[in-house]
């Protein structure tokens, strides 16, 4: 067991102990943006680590809880996706995968910990703008609340991240507030990883 991971509070058992507290903050953010996540699939949870060596040790430690299904290069750094043997359960959600990005050069996160949860809200949208329009239509309260998000201190980012070889567009809308982030997209991460292996 890595003493460095334990000292940094990043050993999987330590992280799992903090999961309910983190998911409570995710719930608060969902309420703030008025996006009902009750029935959304909590697709995966991401953690942030600032040191490449610690990230490698965390990857090894999490292998006791699942298996690596992807090691894609995205924006010039490896992003590990691990599928849990048993989903992590918290506050009514069941989380299937862990996303562990290696640190990007020159970027330091304010804390090394859980950073965001990505939820699947299905849609046929191909672009982030189309997806956002879908969300506003599906969740009228969220649509009505949209113009006031900036006043509430919520930062919104639209993106369409794609790893090498991925065949499926997965437009993403991210909401960030006080260091907590919710991302929503139309397709599950497992489905995206499977699309990489298609000819």
């Amino acid at each position: 067991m890595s003493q460095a991971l334990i000292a940094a509070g990043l050993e999987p058992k330590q992280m799992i102990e903090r999961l309910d507290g983190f998911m409570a903050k995710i719930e608060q953010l969902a309420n703030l943006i008025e996006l009902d996540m009750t029935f959304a699939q909590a697709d995966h949870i991401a953690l942030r680590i600032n040191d490449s060596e610690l990230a490698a040790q965390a990857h090894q430690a999490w292998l006791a809880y699942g298996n690596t299904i992807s090691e894609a290069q995205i924006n010039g750094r490896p992003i590990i996706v691990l599928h849990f043997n048993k989903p992590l359960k918290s506050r009514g959600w069941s989380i299937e995968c862990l996303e562990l990005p290696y640190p990007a050069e020159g970027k330091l996160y304010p804390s090394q910990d859980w950073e965001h949860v990505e939820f699947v809200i299905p849609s046929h949208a191909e672009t982030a703008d189309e997806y956002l329009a879908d969300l506003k239509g599906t969740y009228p309260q969220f649509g009505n609340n949209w113009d006031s998000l900036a006043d509430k201190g919520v930062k919104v980012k639209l993106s369409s991240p794609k790893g090498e070889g991925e065949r499926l567009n997965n437009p993403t809308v991210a909401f960030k507030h006080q260091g907590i982030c919710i991302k929503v997209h139309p397709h599950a991460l497992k489905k995206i990883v499977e699309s990489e292996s298609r000819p």
Side-chain angles (χ1 to χ4, degrees), residues 2 4-6 8 10-12 15 47-63 68 71 77-82 98-104 109 112-113:
S2 162
L5 271 189
I6 293 168
L10 293 168
E11 205 276 324
M15 305 266 333
L47 59 95
R48 288 288 182 254
I49 298 179
N50 285 325
D51 179 84
S52 290
E53 203 168 302
L54 268 184
Q57 290 173 10
H59 183 194
Q60 286 309 306
W62 279 104
L63 288 174
T68 305
E71 292 191 38
R77 61 182 173 150
I79 295 191
I80 308 301
V81 178
L82 184 131
L98 172 73
E99 179 186 304
L100 197 171
Y102 275 67
Y109 293 99
Q112 301 188 107
D113 206 335

Side-chain angles (χ1 to χ4, degrees), residues 21-40 91 93 119 121 139-146 148-149 152-154 175-177 180-184:
F22 178 72
M23 292 307 286
K25 290 177 182 173
I26 290 287
E27 227 165 19
Q28 286 164 5
L29 177 51
N31 292 337
L32 180 68
I33 61 177
E34 295 190 49
L35 194 57
D36 184 359
M37 296 298 192
T38 319
F39 302 108
R91 303 183 71 83
W93 283 299
F119 293 88
I121 297 177
Y139 299 95
Q141 266 180 298
F142 165 70
N144 294 337
N145 188 33
W146 171 256
S148 66
L149 291 186
K152 294 177 178 179
V154 179
F175 305 92
K176 201 165 197 172
H177 183 255
I180 300 295
C181 180
I182 286 174
K183 296 186 182 189
V184 289

